[in-house]
Amino acid sequence: MAADLQAKYQKLAQEYSKLRAQNQVLKKAVVDEQASTTVLKEQIKMKDQSLRKVEQEMDSLTFRNQQLAKRVELLQEELVATETKGKKNKQKSSDSTSQHSHQHQSVFDEDLQKKIEENERLHMQFFEADEKHRQTEAVLRERLEVLERGGAQHQAEVDGLTQKYMESIEKLQNDKTRLEVKSQTLEREAKECRQRTEECQQQLKKCHAELNSRLEQVTSIIQEKVSFNDTKHWQYNTLNVPPHNRRHQLKARDIVGQALTFVQDLVAALLNFHTYTEQRVQIYPIDSATDTISPLNQKFSQYLHENAAYVRPLEEGMLHLFDSVTEDTVTTLETTVKLKQFSDHFTSYTCFLQKILPYQLKSLEEECESSLCTSSLKTKNSELHSDVKKMTSVFEKLQNYIGLLALPSTKPEAILQANSSAVFTQLAACLHGLQDVMKDVSKHYSQKAILEQELPTVTQKLQTTNECILTSLVSLSNVTGKIATYFSNNLDFFTAPTGYGPRAGAGTMNPLHAESMLQCKKRAAGYIQALKKPQPESVPYVEALAHRRILLSSTESREGLTQQVHQSQEKIAKLEQEKEHWMLEAQLAKIRLEKENQRISELEAQLAGSSSRQLFLPTPESPSAQPTPEEEGEEPGERGLGEPIRSASLIGMLTTKSEEVKIPDEECREQLIKSHYMSRVAELTSQLQVADSKAVHFNAECRALAKRLTLAEKSRDMLTEEVKLANQNVSRLQDELTTTKRSYEDQLSMMSDHLCSMNETLTKQREEIDTLKMSSKGNSKKNKGR
């Protein structure tokens, strides 16, 4: 919402600036029109004065003309009268009258001639004055129409501006009301958030106290139970096998794969650059097809011809490095042995660049010394001279950093982890420097190629080679830029600890550690594979969530279920006791039946083999009724005491009284003992089952409470984060609200002032237009009356 308000505010500010500029233009136009109207008023006054003078002259001339016409008529009448009189008195006074009439006629003719000339002159003046008056009137009418049109246009613009201002004011008022409502709602939310924060702070204090107590318990347990900590001593810690990090391996393989593609592009661009540079040396400044080139350029082209032997191994080394990084390997600076091969190939390429650098510089100097080289070309060659030096130095820096990174594969303890992260950061900065240098080289070479195309002696072959070199330089700058951004984006992965190594982060990774780690990983994978069995069908996730919610939410249903479980367990215990009792009864009945069968068989044998006197002997039951010597020895002691007979054992105490309980025979005694033991066993089993049920119930309650505690902690953390975010949002919205209030108030004040000034100017313009209309109407009426 704040972004929308900011955008609306910017739009209103832009419209206000536009309207302000238009207002200034309108002000200037109104001032100019006012000046022109004042000038026109003065001109109209002057013209009115001249018209009045001309009208007065015309009136005088018409009056004079009428007088002259009357005089001419009188003179003509007198002439006719004289002619008639002359005819009558012809004969009488012919000589005297002829002279006198001749003189008088000549005077009249002269006077008439003068009056006719004066009349013609006055007619001409009147005609000229009339034409001038018509022309001035037409011009003034045209100017008046133009002014009326301009006034109408200005009025329309002013009406449009006022409408826009009113709409903008209404929008601002609506925004203001909306913002006030929003501020009220935000204040309410802020109050609620404060209350929540207070509650969360109290919960946090409780949780801190609980955690501190738990921490003390755990520390005391560790101090009591952990007698030996092998991570304290690095000698023992080096014997620990570090865990395998599969994510790290997958990430490392992905990153090395990206680096392989970039190195392939870089190798292709470098090959093109060196080969096309060799072609250019063969062509310019002397073409080898027509003339022999200098020995310096020959040597330079010979070295450039060998570029593939130094550039191709870079791609091969990176490919070997990519093949060595797999999911089943350990990738650290100590275990990546193939990085050393890539470093060696890169050092050979930097040596190649150092070898061709003096020849390249001398060839540029030779181009400058040629007669076709202009001053601008010399400056571009000097710039390329410095750029080539920079490029070689940057490659040397890269070679040093890559060599440092490849050093731990041969000497594991040569570089510490902190130093390796610093090397990675310097390598990233060096790659950005290489990108800048390649951009400068491509820019300066493109300018040089443009200047060379303007030379009269340039050939098509040179133009094509220059274009090829430019494309290779552009691809080099693009590839170096991609490599720099790729390395800076993955710099955190390079500088972060790998997770491999002894515990507690002490020591470095050893190849022996890597081998043992991989062996343990294989054994663990095999063990897990052996343990894998097809899992039984489980409850669907949605149903499990529903059951979990029901279990967590409904405590009353849980208590009811526990009571039902207790009741069912008690019923089961009682039924088991009855079952065991009846089983024992059945066994006793079987034993009795067997004994009776034996007795019956004995009696039948005795009856069959004995005489008749034996019939009066006691039955086999009578001897058992008499006590045995052992019983006789025991019973007098027990009976003599007159106390109850007690038989103690581990299971319970059997208590009987000699007076109350009379043991008829041995079977009854055994039955009593068995019944007592069975009742005791039943009681103990029922107590044990009750104790088990209580233990299960308490265990379930403890688990539920632990789950609740974890959920409460999670909800507490989420609530604290939400409270923090809410506080931040509230503060930010309050700041935005204050700024928007101030800006809107300033805008409203400015707009009101501007509207007042515009209304004043509009009223002034309307008054001036009304006055002009009235003056023009009066002038038109006067002209029509005339």
Side-chain angles (χ1 to χ4, degrees), residues 697-714:
H697 174 65
F698 290 142
N699 189 7
E701 283 187 352
C702 289
R703 286 181 180 176
L705 289 171
K707 287 180 181 178
R708 280 186 181 180
L709 195 141
T710 53
L711 290 170
E713 288 178 352
K714 289 180 181 178

PDB file of all heavy atoms in Angstrom, residues 697-714:
ATOM      1  N   HIS A 697      -0.682 -44.976  30.684  1.00  0.00           N
ATOM      2  CA  HIS A 697      -1.414 -43.705  30.642  1.00  0.00           C
ATOM      3  C   HIS A 697      -0.480 -42.518  30.897  1.00  0.00           C
ATOM      4  O   HIS A 697      -0.506 -41.501  30.181  1.00  0.00           O
ATOM      5  CB  HIS A 697      -2.527 -43.749  31.687  1.00  0.00           C
ATOM      6  CG  HIS A 697      -3.257 -42.445  31.825  1.00  0.00           C
ATOM      7  ND1 HIS A 697      -4.017 -41.905  30.802  1.00  0.00           N
ATOM      8  CD2 HIS A 697      -3.325 -41.581  32.878  1.00  0.00           C
ATOM      9  CE1 HIS A 697      -4.526 -40.751  31.197  1.00  0.00           C
ATOM     10  NE2 HIS A 697      -4.119 -40.532  32.456  1.00  0.00           N
ATOM     11  N   PHE A 698       0.377 -42.668  31.939  1.00  0.00           N
ATOM     12  CA  PHE A 698       1.316 -41.578  32.235  1.00  0.00           C
ATOM     13  C   PHE A 698       2.307 -41.359  31.106  1.00  0.00           C
ATOM     14  O   PHE A 698       2.696 -40.223  30.798  1.00  0.00           O
ATOM     15  CB  PHE A 698       2.057 -41.872  33.546  1.00  0.00           C
ATOM     16  CG  PHE A 698       1.191 -41.764  34.769  1.00  0.00           C
ATOM     17  CD1 PHE A 698       1.337 -42.641  35.829  1.00  0.00           C
ATOM     18  CD2 PHE A 698       0.200 -40.785  34.853  1.00  0.00           C
ATOM     19  CE1 PHE A 698       0.529 -42.533  36.939  1.00  0.00           C
ATOM     20  CE2 PHE A 698      -0.597 -40.684  35.956  1.00  0.00           C
ATOM     21  CZ  PHE A 698      -0.453 -41.561  37.014  1.00  0.00           C
ATOM     22  N   ASN A 699       2.732 -42.446  30.466  1.00  0.00           N
ATOM     23  CA  ASN A 699       3.667 -42.317  29.334  1.00  0.00           C
ATOM     24  C   ASN A 699       3.009 -41.558  28.187  1.00  0.00           C
ATOM     25  O   ASN A 699       3.611 -40.671  27.555  1.00  0.00           O
ATOM     26  CB  ASN A 699       4.100 -43.706  28.887  1.00  0.00           C
ATOM     27  CG  ASN A 699       5.230 -43.646  27.877  1.00  0.00           C
ATOM     28  OD1 ASN A 699       5.772 -42.575  27.602  1.00  0.00           O
ATOM     29  ND2 ASN A 699       5.601 -44.766  27.306  1.00  0.00           N
ATOM     30  N   ALA A 700       1.746 -41.925  27.895  1.00  0.00           N
ATOM     31  CA  ALA A 700       1.026 -41.233  26.819  1.00  0.00           C
ATOM     32  C   ALA A 700       0.843 -39.763  27.149  1.00  0.00           C
ATOM     33  O   ALA A 700       1.022 -38.876  26.291  1.00  0.00           O
ATOM     34  CB  ALA A 700      -0.337 -41.893  26.586  1.00  0.00           C
ATOM     35  N   GLU A 701       0.494 -39.494  28.444  1.00  0.00           N
ATOM     36  CA  GLU A 701       0.338 -38.089  28.830  1.00  0.00           C
ATOM     37  C   GLU A 701       1.659 -37.330  28.727  1.00  0.00           C
ATOM     38  O   GLU A 701       1.702 -36.179  28.271  1.00  0.00           O
ATOM     39  CB  GLU A 701      -0.192 -38.010  30.257  1.00  0.00           C
ATOM     40  CG  GLU A 701      -1.684 -38.302  30.361  1.00  0.00           C
ATOM     41  CD  GLU A 701      -2.208 -38.051  31.755  1.00  0.00           C
ATOM     42  OE1 GLU A 701      -1.383 -37.797  32.654  1.00  0.00           O
ATOM     43  OE2 GLU A 701      -3.433 -38.121  31.950  1.00  0.00           O
ATOM     44  N   CYS A 702       2.748 -37.970  29.123  1.00  0.00           N
ATOM     45  CA  CYS A 702       4.060 -37.313  29.032  1.00  0.00           C
ATOM     46  C   CYS A 702       4.428 -37.022  27.570  1.00  0.00           C
ATOM     47  O   CYS A 702       4.950 -35.947  27.237  1.00  0.00           O
ATOM     48  CB  CYS A 702       5.133 -38.178  29.683  1.00  0.00           C
ATOM     49  SG  CYS A 702       5.009 -38.236  31.475  1.00  0.00           S
ATOM     50  N   ARG A 703       4.144 -37.993  26.694  1.00  0.00           N
ATOM     51  CA  ARG A 703       4.424 -37.751  25.271  1.00  0.00           C
ATOM     52  C   ARG A 703       3.574 -36.612  24.724  1.00  0.00           C
ATOM     53  O   ARG A 703       4.067 -35.742  23.978  1.00  0.00           O
ATOM     54  CB  ARG A 703       4.157 -39.018  24.474  1.00  0.00           C
ATOM     55  CG  ARG A 703       5.216 -40.094  24.661  1.00  0.00           C
ATOM     56  CD  ARG A 703       4.901 -41.310  23.810  1.00  0.00           C
ATOM     57  NE  ARG A 703       5.901 -42.356  23.985  1.00  0.00           N
ATOM     58  CZ  ARG A 703       5.826 -43.557  23.417  1.00  0.00           C
ATOM     59  NH1 ARG A 703       4.789 -43.855  22.652  1.00  0.00           N
ATOM     60  NH2 ARG A 703       6.786 -44.447  23.620  1.00  0.00           N
ATOM     61  N   ALA A 704       2.304 -36.630  25.082  1.00  0.00           N
ATOM     62  CA  ALA A 704       1.421 -35.546  24.612  1.00  0.00           C
ATOM     63  C   ALA A 704       1.890 -34.202  25.140  1.00  0.00           C
ATOM     64  O   ALA A 704       1.909 -33.197  24.417  1.00  0.00           O
ATOM     65  CB  ALA A 704      -0.020 -35.821  25.050  1.00  0.00           C
ATOM     66  N   LEU A 705       2.297 -34.178  26.434  1.00  0.00           N
ATOM     67  CA  LEU A 705       2.794 -32.920  26.993  1.00  0.00           C
ATOM     68  C   LEU A 705       4.087 -32.474  26.313  1.00  0.00           C
ATOM     69  O   LEU A 705       4.309 -31.280  26.085  1.00  0.00           O
ATOM     70  CB  LEU A 705       3.021 -33.085  28.501  1.00  0.00           C
ATOM     71  CG  LEU A 705       1.750 -33.196  29.347  1.00  0.00           C
ATOM     72  CD1 LEU A 705       2.110 -33.584  30.770  1.00  0.00           C
ATOM     73  CD2 LEU A 705       1.003 -31.870  29.341  1.00  0.00           C
ATOM     74  N   ALA A 706       4.964 -33.452  25.989  1.00  0.00           N
ATOM     75  CA  ALA A 706       6.202 -33.092  25.283  1.00  0.00           C
ATOM     76  C   ALA A 706       5.896 -32.518  23.899  1.00  0.00           C
ATOM     77  O   ALA A 706       6.488 -31.518  23.466  1.00  0.00           O
ATOM     78  CB  ALA A 706       7.094 -34.319  25.162  1.00  0.00           C
ATOM     79  N   LYS A 707       4.935 -33.154  23.205  1.00  0.00           N
ATOM     80  CA  LYS A 707       4.534 -32.621  21.894  1.00  0.00           C
ATOM     81  C   LYS A 707       3.945 -31.227  22.020  1.00  0.00           C
ATOM     82  O   LYS A 707       4.235 -30.316  21.237  1.00  0.00           O
ATOM     83  CB  LYS A 707       3.529 -33.556  21.244  1.00  0.00           C
ATOM     84  CG  LYS A 707       4.136 -34.855  20.734  1.00  0.00           C
ATOM     85  CD  LYS A 707       3.077 -35.727  20.090  1.00  0.00           C
ATOM     86  CE  LYS A 707       3.663 -37.050  19.594  1.00  0.00           C
ATOM     87  NZ  LYS A 707       2.625 -37.920  19.008  1.00  0.00           N
ATOM     88  N   ARG A 708       3.094 -31.066  23.058  1.00  0.00           N
ATOM     89  CA  ARG A 708       2.532 -29.738  23.277  1.00  0.00           C
ATOM     90  C   ARG A 708       3.611 -28.708  23.565  1.00  0.00           C
ATOM     91  O   ARG A 708       3.555 -27.569  23.097  1.00  0.00           O
ATOM     92  CB  ARG A 708       1.559 -29.776  24.455  1.00  0.00           C
ATOM     93  CG  ARG A 708       0.187 -30.309  24.113  1.00  0.00           C
ATOM     94  CD  ARG A 708      -0.717 -30.156  25.306  1.00  0.00           C
ATOM     95  NE  ARG A 708      -2.035 -30.676  25.051  1.00  0.00           N
ATOM     96  CZ  ARG A 708      -3.029 -30.669  25.940  1.00  0.00           C
ATOM     97  NH1 ARG A 708      -2.809 -30.187  27.145  1.00  0.00           N
ATOM     98  NH2 ARG A 708      -4.215 -31.147  25.634  1.00  0.00           N
ATOM     99  N   LEU A 709       4.595 -29.137  24.352  1.00  0.00           N
ATOM    100  CA  LEU A 709       5.680 -28.212  24.678  1.00  0.00           C
ATOM    101  C   LEU A 709       6.458 -27.806  23.435  1.00  0.00           C
ATOM    102  O   LEU A 709       6.776 -26.634  23.235  1.00  0.00           O
ATOM    103  CB  LEU A 709       6.610 -28.865  25.703  1.00  0.00           C
ATOM    104  CG  LEU A 709       7.589 -27.932  26.428  1.00  0.00           C
ATOM    105  CD1 LEU A 709       7.709 -28.348  27.869  1.00  0.00           C
ATOM    106  CD2 LEU A 709       8.968 -27.969  25.772  1.00  0.00           C
ATOM    107  N   THR A 710       6.758 -28.790  22.573  1.00  0.00           N
ATOM    108  CA  THR A 710       7.480 -28.446  21.333  1.00  0.00           C
ATOM    109  C   THR A 710       6.646 -27.538  20.440  1.00  0.00           C
ATOM    110  O   THR A 710       7.143 -26.548  19.872  1.00  0.00           O
ATOM    111  CB  THR A 710       7.829 -29.728  20.573  1.00  0.00           C
ATOM    112  OG1 THR A 710       6.637 -30.520  20.386  1.00  0.00           O
ATOM    113  CG2 THR A 710       8.855 -30.545  21.341  1.00  0.00           C
ATOM    114  N   LEU A 711       5.325 -27.874  20.339  1.00  0.00           N
ATOM    115  CA  LEU A 711       4.444 -27.007  19.532  1.00  0.00           C
ATOM    116  C   LEU A 711       4.344 -25.610  20.125  1.00  0.00           C
ATOM    117  O   LEU A 711       4.336 -24.609  19.396  1.00  0.00           O
ATOM    118  CB  LEU A 711       3.047 -27.627  19.440  1.00  0.00           C
ATOM    119  CG  LEU A 711       2.931 -28.910  18.598  1.00  0.00           C
ATOM    120  CD1 LEU A 711       1.566 -29.542  18.799  1.00  0.00           C
ATOM    121  CD2 LEU A 711       3.151 -28.606  17.123  1.00  0.00           C
ATOM    122  N   ALA A 712       4.283 -25.537  21.471  1.00  0.00           N
ATOM    123  CA  ALA A 712       4.218 -24.221  22.109  1.00  0.00           C
ATOM    124  C   ALA A 712       5.492 -23.422  21.864  1.00  0.00           C
ATOM    125  O   ALA A 712       5.452 -22.210  21.617  1.00  0.00           O
ATOM    126  CB  ALA A 712       3.975 -24.390  23.613  1.00  0.00           C
ATOM    127  N   GLU A 713       6.642 -24.118  21.926  1.00  0.00           N
ATOM    128  CA  GLU A 713       7.903 -23.410  21.641  1.00  0.00           C
ATOM    129  C   GLU A 713       7.954 -22.905  20.217  1.00  0.00           C
ATOM    130  O   GLU A 713       8.373 -21.779  19.942  1.00  0.00           O
ATOM    131  CB  GLU A 713       9.076 -24.344  21.931  1.00  0.00           C
ATOM    132  CG  GLU A 713       9.314 -24.595  23.407  1.00  0.00           C
ATOM    133  CD  GLU A 713      10.452 -25.564  23.645  1.00  0.00           C
ATOM    134  OE1 GLU A 713      10.934 -26.147  22.648  1.00  0.00           O
ATOM    135  OE2 GLU A 713      10.857 -25.732  24.805  1.00  0.00           O
ATOM    136  N   LYS A 714       7.517 -23.783  19.277  1.00  0.00           N
ATOM    137  CA  LYS A 714       7.501 -23.340  17.876  1.00  0.00           C
ATOM    138  C   LYS A 714       6.565 -22.158  17.682  1.00  0.00           C
ATOM    139  O   LYS A 714       6.900 -21.173  17.003  1.00  0.00           O
ATOM    140  CB  LYS A 714       7.075 -24.495  16.972  1.00  0.00           C
ATOM    141  CG  LYS A 714       8.121 -25.580  16.834  1.00  0.00           C
ATOM    142  CD  LYS A 714       7.610 -26.691  15.918  1.00  0.00           C
ATOM    143  CE  LYS A 714       8.640 -27.817  15.792  1.00  0.00           C
ATOM    144  NZ  LYS A 714       8.133 -28.924  14.941  1.00  0.00           N
TER     145      LYS A 714
END
